[in-house]
């Protein structure tokens, strides 16, 4: 888990572009110790300022909730935003499979109610009993 250590805002490259921000993330110190170099790691990311987090950043609470494995046939839902990012729709589907490897990125295969299959990351999915965000 990381904390935001600094944020700097600046103009985008063109007059019609979104503003940008440089975010410095700092790894939280491990409760159980670890060496000083590991605990002091920082990561700087430049992002477009928009209405949501980019795919490369996941809220830690959401990530931690997503660690429960998906079972084949389990019903799920996922929010798909509209192009203007002013809303969207929840779609339902069923889990086809989940890769159990070290990298959870797009590790869950879902078959949506319209028959289309898609690889998604577990933190993008919600169980049916979970509240819509």
């Amino acid at each position: 888990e990381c904390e935001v250590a600094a944020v700097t805002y600046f103009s985008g490259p063109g007059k019609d572009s979104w503003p940008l921000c440089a975010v410095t993330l700092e790894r939280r110190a491990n409760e159980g110790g670890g060496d000083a170099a590991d605990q002091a790691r920082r990561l700087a990311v430049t992002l477009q300022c928009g209405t949501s987090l980019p795919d490369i950043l996941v809220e830690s609470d959401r990530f931690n909730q997503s660690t429960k494995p998906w079972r084949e046939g389990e019903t799920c839902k996922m929010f798909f935003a509209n192009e203007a990012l002013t809303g969207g729709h929840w779609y339902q589907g069923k889990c086809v499979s989940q890769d159990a490897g070290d990298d959870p990125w797009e590790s869950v295969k879902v078959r949506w109610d319209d028959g289309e299959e898609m690889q998604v990351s577990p933190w993008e999915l919600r169980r049916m009993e979970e509240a819509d965000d």
Side-chain angles (χ1 to χ4, degrees), residues 1-17:
E1 290 185 21
C2 296
E3 293 178 340
V4 175
V7 178
T8 306
Y9 295 94
F10 51 97
S11 299
K15 69 179 182 89
D16 295 326
S17 63

Side-chain angles (χ1 to χ4, degrees), residues 2 5 16 19 21 33 46 52 62 64 67 72 81 98 106 116 120 132:
C2 296
D16 295 326
C21 68
T46 301
S52 63
R62 183 68 227 144
N64 292 335
T67 59
E72 183 179 342
Q98 182 172 16
E106 296 187 346
E116 181 181 347
V120 299
D132 298 345

Side-chain angles (χ1 to χ4, degrees), residues 2 12 21 23 30 44 51 54 59 69 74 84 88 104 110 130:
C2 296
C21 68
V23 179
N30 293 333
T51 59
E59 294 175 8
E74 187 173 1
V110 174
E130 288 184 63

Side-chain angles (χ1 to χ4, degrees), residues 10 14 21 28 43 49 61-63 68 73-74 96 110-111 113 116 120-121 130:
F10 51 97
C21 68
R28 290 183 182 162
L43 171 67
C49 296
D61 288 344
R62 183 68 227 144
F63 181 85
K68 179 181 174 189
E74 187 173 1
V96 175
V110 174
R111 181 176 300 114
D113 288 348
E116 181 181 347
V120 299
S121 299
E130 288 184 63

Side-chain angles (χ1 to χ4, degrees), residues 3-122:
E3 293 178 340
V4 175
V7 178
T8 306
Y9 295 94
F10 51 97
S11 299
K15 69 179 182 89
D16 295 326
S17 63
W18 284 85
L20 302 171
C21 68
V23 179
T24 302
L25 302 171
E26 186 171 302
R27 178 180 276 173
R28 290 183 182 162
N30 293 333
E31 302 273 332
D35 65 24
D38 184 52
Q39 291 184 9
R41 286 201 186 160
R42 286 184 170 216
L43 171 67
V45 181
T46 301
L47 308 168
Q48 269 191 336
C49 296
T51 59
S52 63
L53 287 174
D55 289 343
I56 62 168
L57 296 177
V58 180
E59 294 175 8
S60 61
D61 288 344
R62 183 68 227 144
F63 181 85
N64 292 335
Q65 288 175 355
S66 74
T67 59
K68 179 181 174 189
W70 288 91
R71 296 183 319 273
E72 183 179 342
E74 187 173 1
T75 304
C76 59
K77 59 185 174 180
M78 183 172 161
F79 187 79
F80 288 86
N82 61 27
E83 286 187 34
L85 301 177
T86 57
H89 297 283
W90 287 93
Y91 288 85
Q92 290 186 358
K94 292 191 184 288
C95 178
V96 175
S97 62
Q98 182 172 16
D99 296 333
D102 291 337
D103 184 2
W105 190 266
E106 296 187 346
S107 63
V108 182
K109 183 185 248 182
V110 174
R111 181 176 300 114
W112 302 110
D113 288 348
D114 65 3
E116 181 181 347
E117 290 187 358
M118 178 183 217
Q119 293 290 138
V120 299
S121 299

